[in-house]
Amino acid sequence: RQFLRLALPAGAELWSASVAGRAVQPAKSEDGHLLVPLVRSSAAGGALAAFDVSVVYVENGTPEPGRFQAELPIADAPTTWVGWTVLAPKGSKVPKKVKEGTLRKVDWLTPPPPAAQVYQQAEYNQAVGNQAYAQTQSGGLGEGAAPVQVTLPTDGVPLYFEKLLVLDEKLGVWFDYREPKK
């Protein structure tokens, strides 16, 4: 496919996007979805090569005290695994059983092995990497702003959520917590 179609959460603003390590300029469809241009993935032995797609966006809003609520973008392509780490405020009390949302709360994230380790041979990856690099250098993906590097605070109570096999669905996590005493 030529584009990855993404629906950002309501009120979210795109900061940057990159494909195979190179900045790209997504287009907008008539219905407001982002269209992220993709590199052409050639097949060898019946398997397509994987490449990273990164989207940085920001959401505005005022959080409700004692309540966490967030959603991830919806992609029109199947995703084999989604892992999400949420940091609750330091000192807060979060219930052991968080049942709200569409991702499962886990004790730690357990990503599956990368597709390249399972399905592809090492010598194939180099050829595909060279092809993706040539396509990005030729301007075939359009030019975008440099990807935004964001450093986030990592202070807080980590909560881990994951889901296997996501198919064009809304992903979110919602839970209540008791704020730390002041």
Side-chain angles (χ1 to χ4, degrees):
R1 65 173 54 182
Q2 188 176 2
F3 295 98
L4 172 66
R5 187 178 169 94
L6 287 176
L8 293 180
E13 177 186 343
L14 177 70
W15 277 10
S16 70
S18 63
V19 174
R22 180 161 168 108
V24 297
Q25 181 63 51
K28 273 212 170 175
S29 66
E30 291 178 6
D31 60 2
H33 289 84
L34 287 179
L35 301 173
V36 180
L38 299 176
V39 296
R40 186 178 314 257
S41 180
S42 26
L48 295 176
F51 50 86
D52 290 334
V53 175
S54 176
V55 177
V56 178
Y57 65 95
V58 65
E59 292 183 64
N60 295 321
T62 305
E64 183 180 331
R67 177 91 174 144
F68 176 83
Q69 183 172 340
E71 293 178 1
L72 292 173
I74 299 171
D76 72 340
T79 303
T80 54
W81 177 81
V82 173
W84 192 1
T85 302
V86 174
L87 295 172
K90 189 173 184 175
S92 63
K93 302 291 183 202
V94 180
K96 293 252 186 237
K97 302 267 185 191
V98 174
K99 295 182 181 178
E100 297 182 75
T102 55
L103 285 90
R104 178 175 59 103
K105 185 175 182 296
V106 295
D107 293 331
W108 57 85
L109 295 176
T110 54
Q117 290 179 2
V118 177
Y119 302 110
Q120 298 171 4
Q121 299 173 357
E123 60 271 10
Y124 173 65
N125 288 337
Q126 182 62 43
V128 171
N130 291 343
Q131 181 184 4
Y133 179 77
Q135 187 176 358
T136 58
Q137 293 301 327
S138 71
L141 295 179
E143 293 297 321
V148 175
Q149 298 297 318
V150 179
T151 302
L152 299 173
T154 56
D155 194 21
V157 179
L159 302 169
Y160 305 104
F161 300 88
E162 66 182 14
K163 183 170 175 87
L164 294 175
L165 194 56
V166 177
L167 302 168
D168 195 23
E169 60 189 282
K170 189 180 253 189
L171 297 177
V173 172
W174 306 269
F175 60 86
D176 293 320
Y177 62 90
R178 210 168 336 127
E179 293 203 31
K181 295 180 182 179
K182 295 181 181 180

Coordinates of all heavy atoms in Angstrom, one line a residue, residues 22-76:
R22 N 13.4 8.2 8.2 CA 13.4 9.4 7.4 C 12.2 10.2 7.6 O 11.1 9.7 7.5 CB 13.7 9.1 6.0 CG 13.8 10.4 5.1 CD 14.4 10.1 3.8 NE 14.2 11.3 3.0 CZ 15.2 12.1 2.6 NH1 16.4 11.9 3.1 NH2 14.9 13.1 1.8
A23 N 12.3 11.5 7.8 CA 11.1 12.4 8.0 C 10.3 12.4 6.8 O 10.8 12.4 5.7 CB 11.6 13.8 8.4
V24 N 8.9 12.4 7.0 CA 8.0 12.4 5.9 C 6.9 13.5 6.2 O 6.8 13.8 7.3 CB 7.3 11.0 5.6 CG1 8.4 10.0 5.2 CG2 6.5 10.6 6.8
Q25 N 6.2 13.9 5.2 CA 5.2 14.9 5.3 C 3.8 14.2 5.0 O 3.5 13.9 3.9 CB 5.3 16.0 4.4 CG 4.3 17.1 4.5 CD 4.2 17.7 5.8 OE1 5.2 18.2 6.3 NE2 3.1 17.8 6.4
P26 N 3.1 13.8 6.1 CA 1.8 13.2 5.8 C 0.8 14.1 5.1 O 0.9 15.3 5.3 CB 1.3 12.8 7.2 CG 2.5 12.9 8.1 CD 3.4 13.9 7.5
A27 N -0.1 13.5 4.4 CA -1.2 14.3 3.8 C -2.4 14.1 4.7 O -2.4 13.3 5.6 CB -1.4 13.8 2.4
K28 N -3.5 14.9 4.4 CA -4.7 14.7 5.1 C -5.8 14.3 4.1 O -5.9 14.9 3.0 CB -5.2 16.0 5.8 CG -4.6 16.1 7.1 CD -5.6 16.9 8.0 CE -5.0 16.8 9.5 NZ -5.8 17.5 10.4
S29 N -6.6 13.3 4.4 CA -7.6 12.8 3.6 C -8.8 13.8 3.8 O -8.9 14.6 4.7 CB -8.0 11.4 3.9 OG -8.6 11.3 5.2
E30 N -9.8 13.6 2.9 CA -11.0 14.5 3.0 C -11.7 14.3 4.3 O -12.4 15.3 4.8 CB -12.0 14.2 1.9 CG -11.5 14.6 0.5 CD -12.4 14.2 -0.6 OE1 -13.5 13.7 -0.4 OE2 -12.0 14.5 -1.8
D31 N -11.7 13.1 4.9 CA -12.3 12.9 6.2 C -11.4 13.2 7.4 O -11.8 12.9 8.6 CB -12.9 11.5 6.3 CG -11.8 10.4 6.2 OD1 -10.7 10.8 6.0 OD2 -12.2 9.2 6.2
G32 N -10.2 13.8 7.2 CA -9.4 14.3 8.3 C -8.4 13.3 8.8 O -7.6 13.5 9.7
H33 N -8.3 12.1 8.2 CA -7.3 11.1 8.6 C -5.9 11.5 8.0 O -5.8 12.1 7.0 CB -7.6 9.7 8.0 CG -8.8 9.1 8.7 ND1 -10.1 9.4 8.4 CD2 -8.9 8.2 9.8 CE1 -10.9 8.7 9.2 NE2 -10.2 8.0 10.0
L34 N -4.9 11.1 8.7 CA -3.5 11.3 8.2 C -3.2 10.2 7.3 O -3.5 9.0 7.5 CB -2.5 11.2 9.4 CG -2.4 12.4 10.4 CD1 -1.4 12.1 11.4 CD2 -2.1 13.7 9.7
L35 N -2.5 10.6 6.2 CA -2.0 9.6 5.2 C -0.5 9.6 5.2 O 0.1 10.6 4.7 CB -2.6 9.9 3.8 CG -4.1 9.9 3.7 CD1 -4.5 10.4 2.3 CD2 -4.7 8.6 4.0
V36 N 0.1 8.7 5.9 CA 1.6 8.6 6.0 C 2.1 7.8 4.9 O 1.8 6.7 4.7 CB 2.0 8.0 7.4 CG1 3.5 7.9 7.5 CG2 1.3 8.7 8.6
P37 N 3.0 8.5 4.0 CA 3.5 7.7 2.9 C 4.5 6.6 3.3 O 5.3 6.8 4.2 CB 4.3 8.8 2.1 CG 4.6 9.9 3.1 CD 3.5 9.8 4.1
L38 N 4.4 5.5 2.7 CA 5.2 4.3 3.1 C 6.2 4.0 2.0 O 6.0 4.3 0.9 CB 4.3 3.1 3.3 CG 3.2 3.2 4.4 CD1 2.3 2.0 4.4 CD2 3.8 3.5 5.7
V39 N 7.3 3.3 2.4 CA 8.3 2.8 1.5 C 7.7 1.5 0.8 O 6.9 0.8 1.4 CB 9.7 2.5 2.2 CG1 10.3 3.8 2.7 CG2 9.5 1.5 3.2
R40 N 8.2 1.2 -0.3 CA 7.8 0.0 -1.0 C 8.6 -1.2 -0.4 O 9.8 -1.1 -0.3 CB 8.1 0.1 -2.5 CG 7.6 -1.1 -3.3 CD 8.0 -0.9 -4.8 NE 7.6 0.5 -5.2 CZ 6.6 0.8 -5.9 NH1 5.7 -0.1 -6.3 NH2 6.3 2.1 -6.3
S41 N 7.9 -2.2 0.1 CA 8.5 -3.3 0.7 C 8.5 -4.5 -0.3 O 7.5 -4.9 -0.7 CB 7.7 -3.7 2.0 OG 8.3 -4.8 2.6
S42 N 9.7 -4.9 -0.7 CA 9.8 -6.0 -1.6 C 9.7 -7.4 -0.9 O 10.0 -7.5 0.3 CB 11.0 -6.0 -2.5 OG 12.1 -5.3 -1.8
A43 N 9.3 -8.4 -1.6 CA 9.1 -9.7 -1.0 C 10.2 -10.6 -1.4 O 10.7 -10.5 -2.5 CB 7.7 -10.3 -1.4
A44 N 10.6 -11.5 -0.5 CA 11.5 -12.5 -0.8 C 11.1 -13.8 0.0 O 10.9 -13.7 1.2 CB 12.9 -12.1 -0.4
G45 N 10.9 -14.8 -0.7 CA 10.4 -16.0 0.0 C 9.0 -15.9 0.6 O 8.7 -16.5 1.6
G46 N 8.2 -15.0 0.0 CA 6.8 -14.8 0.4 C 6.7 -13.9 1.6 O 5.5 -13.7 2.1
A47 N 7.7 -13.3 2.1 CA 7.6 -12.4 3.3 C 8.0 -11.0 2.9 O 8.9 -10.8 2.1 CB 8.6 -12.9 4.4
L48 N 7.2 -10.0 3.4 CA 7.5 -8.6 3.2 C 8.4 -8.1 4.3 O 8.4 -8.6 5.4 CB 6.2 -7.8 3.2 CG 5.3 -8.1 2.0 CD1 4.0 -7.3 2.1 CD2 6.0 -7.8 0.7
A49 N 9.3 -7.1 4.0 CA 10.2 -6.6 5.0 C 9.4 -5.6 5.9 O 8.6 -4.8 5.4 CB 11.3 -5.9 4.3
A50 N 9.8 -5.6 7.1 CA 9.2 -4.6 8.1 C 10.0 -3.3 8.1 O 11.2 -3.4 7.9 CB 9.1 -5.3 9.5
F51 N 9.4 -2.2 8.5 CA 10.1 -1.0 8.7 C 9.3 -0.2 9.7 O 8.1 -0.4 9.9 CB 10.3 -0.2 7.4 CG 9.0 0.0 6.6 CD1 8.1 1.1 6.9 CD2 8.7 -0.9 5.6 CE1 7.0 1.2 6.1 CE2 7.5 -0.7 4.8 CZ 6.7 0.3 5.1
D52 N 10.0 0.7 10.4 CA 9.4 1.5 11.5 C 8.6 2.7 10.9 O 9.1 3.3 10.0 CB 10.4 2.1 12.5 CG 11.1 1.0 13.3 OD1 10.4 -0.1 13.5 OD2 12.2 1.2 13.7
V53 N 7.5 3.0 11.5 CA 6.7 4.2 11.2 C 6.5 4.9 12.6 O 6.0 4.3 13.5 CB 5.3 3.9 10.6 CG1 4.5 5.2 10.5 CG2 5.5 3.2 9.3
S54 N 7.0 6.1 12.7 CA 6.9 6.9 14.0 C 6.1 8.1 13.8 O 6.3 8.9 12.8 CB 8.3 7.2 14.4 OG 8.2 8.0 15.6
V55 N 5.1 8.4 14.7 CA 4.3 9.5 14.6 C 4.3 10.2 16.0 O 4.1 9.5 17.0 CB 2.8 9.2 14.2 CG1 1.9 10.4 14.3 CG2 2.7 8.5 12.9
V56 N 4.7 11.5 16.0 CA 4.7 12.2 17.3 C 3.5 13.2 17.2 O 3.4 14.0 16.3 CB 6.0 13.0 17.5 CG1 6.0 13.8 18.8 CG2 7.2 12.0 17.5
Y57 N 2.7 13.2 18.3 CA 1.6 14.1 18.3 C 1.4 14.6 19.8 O 1.9 13.9 20.7 CB 0.3 13.5 17.7 CG -0.2 12.4 18.5 CD1 -1.2 12.5 19.5 CD2 0.2 11.1 18.3 CE1 -1.7 11.5 20.2 CE2 -0.2 10.0 19.0 CZ -1.2 10.2 20.0 OH -1.7 9.1 20.7
V58 N 0.6 15.6 19.9 CA 0.3 16.1 21.3 C -1.2 16.3 21.4 O -1.8 16.6 20.4 CB 1.1 17.5 21.6 CG1 0.6 18.6 20.6 CG2 1.0 17.9 23.0
E59 N -1.6 16.1 22.6 CA -3.1 16.2 22.9 C -3.2 17.4 23.9 O -2.4 17.4 24.9 CB -3.7 15.0 23.5 CG -3.8 13.8 22.5 CD -4.4 12.6 23.1 OE1 -5.6 12.7 23.5 OE2 -3.8 11.6 23.2
N60 N -4.1 18.2 23.7 CA -4.4 19.3 24.7 C -5.6 18.9 25.5 O -6.4 18.2 25.1 CB -4.7 20.6 23.9 CG -3.5 21.1 23.1 OD1 -2.3 21.0 23.6 ND2 -3.7 21.6 22.0
G61 N -5.6 19.5 26.7 CA -6.8 19.3 27.6 C -6.4 19.4 29.0 O -5.2 19.4 29.4
T62 N -7.4 19.4 29.9 CA -7.1 19.5 31.3 C -7.5 18.1 31.9 O -8.7 17.7 31.8 CB -8.0 20.6 31.9 OG1 -7.7 21.8 31.2 CG2 -7.7 20.7 33.4
P63 N -6.5 17.4 32.5 CA -6.9 16.1 33.1 C -7.8 16.2 34.3 O -7.7 17.2 35.0 CB -5.5 15.5 33.5 CG -4.6 16.7 33.5 CD -5.1 17.8 32.7
E64 N -8.7 15.3 34.4 CA -9.6 15.2 35.6 C -8.8 14.6 36.7 O -8.2 13.6 36.6 CB -10.8 14.4 35.2 CG -11.8 14.3 36.3 CD -13.0 13.4 35.9 OE1 -13.2 13.3 34.7 OE2 -13.6 12.8 36.8
P65 N -8.7 15.3 37.9 CA -8.0 14.8 39.0 C -8.5 13.4 39.4 O -9.7 13.1 39.5 CB -8.3 15.8 40.2 CG -8.7 17.0 39.5 CD -9.4 16.6 38.2
G66 N -7.5 12.5 39.6 CA -7.9 11.1 40.0 C -8.4 10.2 38.9 O -8.8 9.1 39.2
R67 N -8.3 10.7 37.7 CA -8.8 9.9 36.6 C -7.8 10.0 35.4 O -7.4 11.0 35.0 CB -10.1 10.5 36.1 CG -10.7 9.8 34.9 CD -11.6 8.6 35.3 NE -12.3 8.1 34.2 CZ -12.6 6.8 34.1 NH1 -12.2 6.0 35.1 NH2 -13.2 6.3 33.1
F68 N -7.4 8.8 34.9 CA -6.6 8.8 33.7 C -7.4 8.3 32.5 O -8.2 7.3 32.7 CB -5.4 7.8 33.9 CG -4.6 7.7 32.6 CD1 -3.6 8.7 32.3 CD2 -4.8 6.7 31.7 CE1 -2.9 8.6 31.1 CE2 -4.1 6.6 30.5 CZ -3.1 7.5 30.2
Q69 N -7.3 8.9 31.4 CA -8.1 8.5 30.2 C -7.3 9.0 29.0 O -7.0 10.1 28.8 CB -9.5 9.2 30.2 CG -10.4 8.8 29.1 CD -11.8 9.3 29.3 OE1 -12.2 9.7 30.3 NE2 -12.5 9.4 28.1
A70 N -7.0 8.0 28.1 CA -6.3 8.3 26.9 C -6.5 7.3 25.8 O -6.9 6.1 26.2 CB -4.8 8.4 27.2
E71 N -6.3 7.7 24.6 CA -6.5 6.8 23.4 C -5.3 6.9 22.5 O -4.6 7.9 22.5 CB -7.8 7.2 22.6 CG -9.1 7.0 23.4 CD -10.3 7.4 22.6 OE1 -10.1 7.8 21.4 OE2 -11.4 7.3 23.1
L72 N -5.1 5.8 21.8 CA -4.0 5.8 20.8 C -4.6 6.0 19.4 O -5.8 5.8 19.2 CB -3.3 4.4 20.8 CG -2.5 4.0 22.0 CD1 -2.1 2.6 22.0 CD2 -1.3 5.0 22.2
P73 N -3.8 6.4 18.4 CA -4.3 6.6 17.1 C -4.8 5.2 16.5 O -4.4 4.2 16.9 CB -3.1 7.0 16.3 CG -2.1 7.6 17.3 CD -2.4 6.8 18.5
I74 N -5.8 5.3 15.6 CA -6.3 4.1 15.0 C -5.6 4.0 13.6 O -5.7 4.9 12.8 CB -7.8 4.2 14.8 CG1 -8.5 4.3 16.2 CG2 -8.4 3.0 14.1 CD1 -10.0 4.6 16.1
A75 N -5.0 2.8 13.4 CA -4.3 2.6 12.1 C -5.2 1.6 11.3 O -5.9 0.8 11.8 CB -3.0 2.0 12.3
D76 N -5.1 1.8 10.0 CA -5.9 0.9 9.1 C -5.1 -0.3 8.7 O -5.5 -1.1 7.8 CB -6.4 1.7 7.8 CG -5.2 2.0 6.9 OD1 -4.1 2.0 7.3 OD2 -5.5 2.3 5.7

